[in-house]
Amino acid sequence: MENKITNTGTANITIDGKSYDLPIMKGSMGAPGIDVRALHKKTGHFTFDPGYTSTCSTESQITFINGQEGQLLYRGYDIESLAENSSFLEVAYLLINGELPNKDQHKKFTSTITQHTMLHDQIESFFHGFRRDAHPMAMMCGTVGALSGFYHDDTHTTVDAARDMAIHRLIAKIPTIAARSYKYSIGQPTVYPDNSLSYAENFLNMCFSVPAEKYKISPTIARAMDKIFILHADHEQNASTSTVRLAGSSGANPYACIAAGIACLWGPSHGGANEACLNMLQEIGTVDKIPEYIARAKDKSDPFRLMGFGHRVYKNFDPRSRVMQKVAHEVLEELDLQNPILDVAMELEKIALEDEYFVEKKLYPNVDFYSGIVLSALGFPTSMFTVLFALARTVGWISQWNEMLEDPSQRIGRPRQLYSGATPRDYVPIDKR
């Protein structure tokens, strides 16, 4: 990985009356970072940063977010431009390789992915080991982790060809696993991949077709699905991406690393936000009740919270939300759905953006505000929302894993702690306690 980090000076800190100089590092965009790698060696101190919210854990050239400006770039390309003009597999190629593919590269990459969509027949038995009411994310996490038992090449981290094969297999098989998790959860038979279909079309077909009748795939719906995948493909060093990198830093099998990312994404504070937003819109129910819920959201003593507004990173519009808003209209128009929940969402967005309380706190709509509505309209139950998120994010995870392996400064992750437990004490035999 070409190093584009520059040293722009030093930061001087004083500890116990002694001064120390630490390098200031600057990337191609974004805020600079103070290099504290030698801090403990020089001073005997660590930094304290729960959640690593002020700590750069790595150098990366994949994704950039400017939260103040509402900007999201994949390899320098604006997310809205990519969603409007590219396919998901083009974006996948971009994230992995650093450049958009030309026609020949795109054709070869698409062909390679298509050839690896089938699952090993023995994997089918894994699904039958789950209860019928098992959450699809449990099946997703367990089955992806189990792939490491089928593809346990020890050269994944050292040989380019083996690494490429793992990348291609994961991108290809994740939709098949996701669709199988859904079919199993509703008691329908397996639908195998169809190599004549595009990536999004194939996934929709595996989810919604049945042997008894022909399933007609709408180009509008397939394109909407493709855009949803693009919008969720990567998002800097979030919790699940950092989990994949941390697992990968030990040299773990790539399928196990992605399974770790899926497990982290499952949490309601991460991948489950769109489900919470849809539940909130359904609770409000009708437009006339919005003022009541707005008042409740402002009341700190009321447990009700507006979901889908604000973001830990974005202090402006989430750029993905603009794309998702358009997708929502296209999908509902295509399906001819008069959805009162969308009416609630539109009016809620309008009021919140004009209300001084929300404007002052910069509580702008994020991608989850509309994605739950769209996925529900497509026919997915809420239990599948995070599965779809994981499907898309696998491309980002595997790109980050691949980049990590090429980074010469990469080391096994080892966060420090401030210990606050008991000081040394004498052992007391059990009969004297």
Side-chain angles (χ1 to χ4, degrees):
M1 184 171 78
E2 181 186 357
N3 193 317
K4 296 184 179 180
I5 302 296
T6 56
N7 189 323
T8 60
T10 57
N12 183 267
I13 64 169
T14 302
I15 301 175
D16 296 333
K18 293 183 180 180
S19 292
Y20 303 91
D21 289 331
L22 298 172
I24 298 176
M25 315 303 288
K26 185 74 172 68
S28 57
M29 295 178 72
I34 299 172
D35 187 348
V36 297
R37 283 175 289 185
L39 182 68
H40 181 255
K41 184 178 180 180
K42 286 183 175 182
T43 71
H45 291 73
F46 294 122
T47 57
F48 183 63
D49 183 21
Y52 315 119
T53 55
S54 297
T55 299
C56 301
S57 61
T58 188
E59 173 195 350
S60 181
Q61 299 175 7
I62 297 173
T63 304
F64 175 77
I65 298 171
N66 184 331
Q68 297 298 325
E69 299 297 326
Q71 182 183 46
L72 171 60
L73 306 178
Y74 289 170
R75 300 284 193 178
Y77 293 99
D78 183 83
I79 186 63
E80 293 175 81
S81 177
L82 289 171
E84 190 63 36
N85 299 294
S86 284
S87 70
F88 177 64
L89 286 185
E90 277 189 280
V91 171
Y93 186 97
L94 169 69
L95 290 174
I96 296 163
N97 298 290
E99 299 292 342
L100 286 167
N102 59 34
K103 287 185 178 180
D104 289 340
Q105 290 168 332
H106 182 253
K107 182 178 179 180
K108 182 180 179 181
F109 183 71
T110 301
S111 176
T112 301
I113 298 302
T114 303
Q115 291 168 10
H116 289 283
T117 54
M118 289 285 291
L119 298 177
H120 193 289
D121 194 55
Q122 286 182 317
I123 292 178
E124 181 66 21
S125 63
F126 279 74
F127 289 98
H128 292 285
F130 289 103
R131 289 170 52 110
R132 280 292 176 191
D133 58 354
H135 196 288
M137 277 296 279
M139 290 185 264
M140 184 91 158
C141 185
T143 307
V144 172
L147 290 179
S148 58
F150 290 82
Y151 309 112
H152 45 76
D153 194 331
D154 291 335
T155 63
H156 276 136
T157 59
T158 56
V159 178
D160 289 347
R163 197 190 311 173
D164 288 344
M165 181 58 74
I167 290 170
H168 296 152
R169 279 182 180 144
L170 275 160
I171 296 172
K173 295 182 190 303
I174 281 288
T176 311
I177 293 171
R180 185 66 190 101
S181 299
Y182 172 59
K183 284 294 196 184
Y184 186 82
S185 69
I186 61 175
Q188 290 188 0
T190 303
V191 175
Y192 290 106
D194 184 341
N195 288 353
S196 69
L197 301 175
S198 71
Y199 195 84
E201 288 173 338
N202 185 42
F203 176 65
L204 290 167
N205 187 65
M206 288 190 292
C207 284
F208 297 122
S209 67
V210 292
E213 57 187 62
K214 183 74 174 176
Y215 175 66
K216 184 179 179 181
I217 303 171
S218 160
T220 301
I221 300 303
R223 182 62 186 140
M225 193 81 259
D226 211 54
K227 286 184 179 181
I228 290 170
F229 291 160
I230 291 171
L231 294 177
H232 291 89
D234 198 54
H235 211 240
E236 268 194 10
Q237 304 305 314
N238 52 75
S240 58
T241 299
S242 298
T243 297
V244 171
R245 279 185 173 261
L246 193 60
S249 74
S250 71
N253 183 288
Y255 304 96
C257 295
I258 300 305
I262 293 170
C264 181
L265 186 71
W266 193 355
S269 295
H270 193 357
N274 52 7
E275 180 178 346
C277 182
L278 182 62
N279 291 337
M280 175 204 70
L281 293 172
Q282 290 171 337
E283 180 184 345
I284 296 173
T286 55
V287 171
D288 61 292
K289 291 184 179 179
I290 290 177
E292 172 194 341
Y293 281 88
I294 290 283
R296 290 181 60 187
K298 295 178 182 179
D299 184 354
K300 292 183 179 180
S301 64
D302 193 305
F304 176 78
R305 294 290 179 268
L306 274 183
M307 306 300 295
F309 285 83
H311 194 279
R312 187 174 182 177
V313 175
Y314 297 109
K315 305 307 176 188
N316 199 318
F317 262 102
D318 179 341
R320 301 169 299 173
S321 68
R322 288 190 286 262
V323 178
M324 192 62 75
Q325 181 190 44
K326 185 178 178 182
V327 168
H329 285 288
E330 291 171 351
V331 167
L332 293 172
E333 183 179 345
E334 173 72 9
L335 298 175
D336 194 24
L337 294 177
Q338 301 301 316
N339 192 333
I341 299 304
L342 181 63
D343 294 336
V344 172
M346 294 292 292
E347 184 64 18
L348 185 60
E349 177 190 44
K350 181 176 180 291
I351 292 174
L353 291 177
E354 295 173 352
D355 190 289
E356 184 179 339
Y357 176 85
F358 296 101
V359 173
E360 182 182 339
K361 293 182 177 294
K362 297 183 178 180
L363 296 175
Y364 298 101
N366 59 43
V367 69
D368 300 309
F369 187 74
Y370 285 106
S371 63
I373 300 168
V374 174
L375 296 177
S376 180
L378 291 177
F380 290 105
T382 53
S383 61
M384 278 294 291
F385 288 3
T386 316
V387 171
L388 295 169
F389 194 165
L391 190 169
R393 186 55 58 84
T394 293
V395 164
W397 290 333
I398 203 67
S399 300
Q400 298 272 352
W401 171 83
N402 188 48
E403 181 184 63
M404 177 202 66
L405 294 179
E406 295 177 348
D407 185 352
S409 66
Q410 184 267 325
R411 301 176 65 190
I412 186 171
R414 180 58 170 90
R416 300 292 183 169
Q417 66 174 18
L418 281 180
Y419 176 69
S420 58
T423 55
R425 47 185 173 169
D426 295 330
Y427 180 81
V428 178
I430 193 169
D431 60 340
K432 295 183 178 179
R433 291 176 206 162

